[in-house]
Amino acid sequence: MLTRTYRFTKGRTMTTLEGKVAIITGARRGIGRAEALTLAGAGAKVVVCDIVFDDEMTSLQDEIAAAGGESLAFACDVTKKDDIDHVVAQTIATYGRVDILVNNAQTGLTPVPWEELSDKLFTQSFESGPLASFRFMQACFPYMKAQGWGRIINTSSGASRGGVPNFGHYAAAKGAIASLTYAAATDWGQYGITANVIYPAILTPALKGYLEAEPSRRAEMEARVPVRYVGDPLDDLGPIVLFLASDASGYLTGHPFFVDGGAGQGPR
Ligand SMILES: NC(=O)c1ccc[n+]([C@@H]2O[C@H](COP(=O)([O-])OP(=O)(O)OC[C@H]3O[C@@H](n4cnc5c(N)ncnc54)[C@H](O)[C@@H]3O)[C@@H](O)[C@H]2O)c1
């Protein structure tokens, strides 16, 4: 039996986020909720926000508190700059710092045939995706820079690399999020801030809705995944996000992480 853990010389650890403060957008359900529970479970104080603020947000806070964690919750539409600035300002007012930013919220998650794709929908995908990620990153940057430590985890999609029909609006927005992440990684690594991007294939309410819209979709997707199942938000994505949020990942920045059971979203 293993009785000792190796002590990394830089004191790096991924088992605790004690003393860290994390902001998670779109935290009411799905991937964002799992990310909030994971980071809170590891000791971070979590600031959760979502455009929908109802009992589900209260239950998320209750679940965090029941596990001994601490949270703040806000109604926040990430397409609104004022909402973003409010969340960051309140985070700083309450905790005096922000260490981890998880940009998860996104609209436009349903396919739209090209003939019906409007400027409005296309623009909304960009406002909720890359523009919101940029605004949150820019608002958090001064604090992370001053601390000499920060972790940014952005959320792209395999759809940005093609292969999913009728997702022009979403694919373009998700591709821009990846590019934004790589650009920030280039400029912010010198301040101890890493920026990485995840490509999930995770069974959330949004993905369930998509898979159930056509009877054969779920079986087709599972057949394409080498591990033969579509991952769980907490069990399969949580540990990856914890690693990327932790001290242990300090030498990794500007990378895509395909949290997809090997589904083949890799470089094309
Ligand atoms: N589930 C997957 O397999 C998968 C695959 C690729 C990418 N993604 C990405 O992962 C992220 C989460 O996806 P999910 O499957 O958990 O989706 P979901 O729909 O289950 O959850 C998304 C959450 O974001 C919130 N939200 C939506 N628009 C918002 C806005 N304007 N402001 C604030 N909050 C908003 C929703 O209310 C919801 O609580 C998204 O960025 C999505 O594009 C997911």
Side-chain angles (χ1 to χ4, degrees):
M1 198 174 81
L2 189 67
T3 52
R4 285 183 303 152
T5 50
Y6 181 74
R7 193 180 166 83
F8 298 112
T9 52
K10 285 188 181 173
R12 287 206 161 122
T13 174
M14 63 177 278
T15 53
T16 181
L17 297 177
E18 290 295 338
K20 304 291 190 203
V21 175
I23 296 176
I24 301 112
T25 70
R28 178 180 169 269
R29 70 174 204 183
I31 287 171
R33 189 180 186 98
E35 291 170 332
L37 290 168
T38 300
L39 300 185
K45 294 178 175 64
V46 295
V47 180
V48 291
C49 56
D50 203 288
I51 191 171
V52 181
F53 199 97
D54 59 6
D55 290 352
E56 286 299 313
M57 288 297 272
T58 317
S59 87
L60 172 61
Q61 288 200 278
D62 290 347
E63 202 174 334
I64 290 168
E70 195 176 327
S71 69
L72 281 181
F74 296 98
C76 169
D77 175 353
V78 299
T79 66
K80 299 194 170 127
K81 188 176 184 317
D82 287 351
D83 283 11
I84 291 173
D85 289 343
H86 179 70
V87 169
V88 176
Q90 288 303 309
T91 301
I92 298 303
T94 308
Y95 296 126
R97 58 189 299 125
V98 56
D99 305 278
I100 299 156
L101 169 65
V102 185
N103 281 310
N104 166 72
Q106 173 77 53
T107 62
L109 272 64
T110 41
V112 179
W114 289 88
E115 297 86 343
E116 293 164 28
L117 187 50
S118 62
D119 281 11
K120 189 176 173 197
L121 189 55
F122 196 88
T123 305
Q124 277 172 350
S125 297
F126 272 75
E127 284 174 347
S128 65
L131 184 58
S133 298
F134 159 71
R135 284 172 168 163
F136 259 112
M137 288 162 70
Q138 192 184 48
C140 292
F141 176 57
Y143 304 101
M144 292 181 174
K145 184 180 173 187
Q147 292 160 192
W149 201 96
R151 296 284 181 268
I152 291 159
I153 301 163
N154 288 337
T155 312
S156 186
S157 166
S160 69
R161 307 168 87 87
V164 188
N166 296 319
F167 259 135
H169 55 303
Y170 178 75
K174 290 304 203 184
I177 288 174
S179 298
L180 177 72
T181 310
Y182 305 144
T186 302
D187 293 326
W188 295 356
Q190 63 189 305
Y191 306 119
I193 304 168
T194 66
N196 291 294
V197 56
I198 57 170
Y199 292 70
I202 292 291
L203 202 54
T204 61
L207 184 60
K208 270 186 202 151
Y210 174 77
L211 293 179
E212 282 161 13
E214 280 186 30
S216 59
R217 266 187 193 156
R218 182 154 181 178
E220 281 168 11
M221 182 166 182
E222 283 172 347
R224 277 204 315 272
V225 182
V227 300
R228 292 290 184 270
Y229 71 96
V230 185
D232 177 78
L234 262 180
D235 291 335
D236 294 304
L237 185 128
I240 312 297
V241 166
L242 172 55
F243 170 62
L244 292 176
S246 77
D247 213 29
S249 63
Y251 196 50
L252 289 176
T253 192
H255 287 292
F257 288 84
F258 301 97
V259 191
D260 64 357
Q265 303 180 48
R268 303 164 61 92

